[in-house]
Structures are given as structure tokens and as C-alpha cells.
Amino acid sequence: MAWITYVDGSTPIAHPERTTPRPARPTIEDMDLQVLRPRRIWLMLLVAVVAGAALAGPYALGSSRIEVDGGPHHALLVAHIFTATVALVLGPLQFVPAIRARRRWHRRIGRTYLMAGVLPSALAAVPVALLSGRLVTQVGLVIVAIGWLVTGGLAVRAIRRGDVAAHRAWMTRNYALTFLAVTARIVVPILLLTGLSTGAITPADAPAAVTSLIPVGQVLGCVINLIVAEVLIRRARRGRTASGSPRGAPARVPARP
């Protein structure tokens, strides 16, 4: 029902035959906000919060789940864990359609995600890996840290050019590397149970096997997450093509100065 106010200032009259259309859902042009369903996004956020608490909790209490030499090594590890937790928890918020449609909040959360989460955590991860003394950890974690920085930098570069589609793709890959903290801790128990069931690992050797399986789980988790990210990116591209956008044409917004 619409209210009409006449020019002469007479009382507004309700006209039942005239209806006011329902406001459209907030969207960002050509961003395909439904790549992830809202329920899946909130589930991912819940998993991130629980995993973040489990990861940072022991270090907040003064203990450590990873053997380190103490001193600077321990301090760098704690810095890496806490800043990675910031990125892990803030990342899913960037996939919430209502937040993505509000560009100011989307930018603020994105900047915090990168500057207080990804950047310091990746920089701390490099010396943590090099001081670990384990070759697989050194190679795997350093590669992930570099990939973290590169994908984040390319995402910022894309959005400054106004290329929303490329920005979203790079940020999806970036958070795939962030979510490695969760996936690796799922993969390691699966590898351990597989080894125990096949007899490759004896129950007596299980504690030592877990330590050796952690870097393997990190590498496999990284591969799994990046594959999932590419599937989501390709699904978004197909969705834009089906909606009428020219194939390969990136969604754009005005570039920021």
C-alpha cells in the first residue's frame, strides 16, 4: 500500500490498488553472492571459531602443543598461532552476502583480516618453519606462507584495479590457505587411523607417529583446500556465464585511487 502526498499539502491518502515493491536484497553487481549458501558460511564460521579456540587456547594458558626450543622460537610460534586465529575467524565473514553488499564493512574486515591476520602470521611462519629442524615442515610451511602473501597481494591488486571477480578468486584461494589450520588437523588423525588399521603404525609408536604426520597433513591439507577453492571459483564463473555475462568478462567496480 502506497501513501500519496498531494502538492497542496492535503492529508496523504492510502491507495490499496497501489503497492510498494519489496526492497531487493543487498547485492554487489556481478559478484554472485550465492557461491556458498548462507548455512554453509555460518557453519564454516562456527568451525573456524571452535578450531581457533582449540588452536590458541593452549598457548594462551602458557603451554605448547608443538615442541620448540623456547625463547624466540616459542614467541614467534605464539605470534603465528594468534594472528592465524584472527584470520581464521574473520575470513568467513567476508563470504556473508549481507556483509559483502556493505562495502565499507567488507573493506574494514578485509583489511583487518590481511593486516592483523595473514601478513603477521605468514611472516612469523617462515622463521618458525626454519627453526623446526624438520625438512618437510620447513619446505611445506614456507611455501604456504609465501602463497598466503602472494594470494593476498594479488587480491588487493585486483580490487584496486576494480576487478571484483579476480579479487574474489584470489581471496578464496587465500582463505583456503588460512583454513589449512583446520584441514590439517582433520587429515592427521585420518592418516593415523589408516596407519593403525593397516598395521603400518603400531599403538606403541602412535605418539611419535603423530609428530611425523603433522607436516604430511599440512601438505595434504593445503592440496585439498586449494582444490576445493578452485572448484568454487569455477562454479562462480559458470554461474556468471549462465546469468548472461560474457565468458571471461570480469566483474568490475570503479577502481579506488
Side-chain angles (χ1 to χ4, degrees):
M1 181 177 297
W3 290 88
I4 306 300
T5 303
Y6 293 100
V7 178
D8 60 359
S10 58
T11 305
I13 301 174
H15 292 265
E17 70 278 6
R18 300 183 182 181
T19 58
T20 302
R22 179 178 298 178
R25 295 180 61 186
T27 59
I28 299 178
E29 183 179 0
D30 295 330
M31 282 198 68
D32 185 17
L33 299 178
Q34 299 302 324
V35 175
L36 286 175
R37 297 181 182 276
R39 291 183 180 179
R40 296 178 182 177
I41 296 173
W42 292 117
L43 177 60
M44 184 168 60
L45 177 61
L46 177 62
V47 172
V49 171
V50 173
L55 292 173
Y59 298 93
L61 298 175
S63 60
S64 176
R65 300 178 62 179
I66 301 176
E67 295 182 3
V68 294
D69 298 332
H73 194 185
H74 182 266
L76 288 168
L77 177 62
V78 171
H80 168 67
I81 293 294
F82 276 95
T83 50
T85 302
V86 171
L88 183 65
V89 173
L90 290 182
L93 297 178
Q94 294 296 78
F95 296 96
V96 177
I99 294 179
R100 290 173 65 169
R102 292 167 174 80
R103 295 183 181 180
R104 180 177 299 178
W105 281 103
H106 183 70
R107 286 197 297 265
R108 288 176 178 175
I109 296 174
R111 288 168 181 167
T112 305
Y113 167 82
L114 289 173
M115 301 306 296
V118 172
L119 180 61
S121 187
L123 293 178
V126 175
V128 167
L130 297 178
L131 292 172
S132 67
R134 295 187 293 271
L135 181 61
V136 178
T137 300
Q138 292 172 339
V139 175
L141 195 54
V142 168
I143 291 176
V144 170
I146 294 174
W148 221 2
L149 295 172
V150 170
T151 53
L154 291 174
V156 173
R157 181 185 180 187
I159 200 60
R160 287 189 175 276
R161 291 182 173 183
D163 192 344
V164 175
H167 169 74
R168 181 186 55 209
W170 286 115
M171 286 302 293
T172 301
R173 297 182 183 106
N174 186 272
Y175 191 70
L177 296 176
T178 303
F179 207 73
L180 172 63
V182 177
T183 310
R185 284 157 180 81
I186 297 175
V187 172
V188 170
I190 293 176
L191 294 176
L192 179 62
L193 291 175
T194 302
L196 290 172
S197 62
T198 58
I201 301 174
T202 63
D205 295 333
V210 171
T211 302
S212 61
L213 287 175
I214 287 177
V216 179
Q218 290 174 336
V219 173
L220 290 178
C222 180
V223 173
I224 293 171
N225 286 5
L226 289 177
I227 290 175
V228 173
E230 291 303 319
V231 170
L232 293 175
I233 293 169
R234 292 178 182 273
R235 184 185 301 176
R237 289 173 180 169
R238 288 197 300 268
R240 289 194 300 274
T241 302
S243 66
S245 299
R247 173 176 286 275
R252 292 188 176 274
V253 296
R256 301 189 64 203

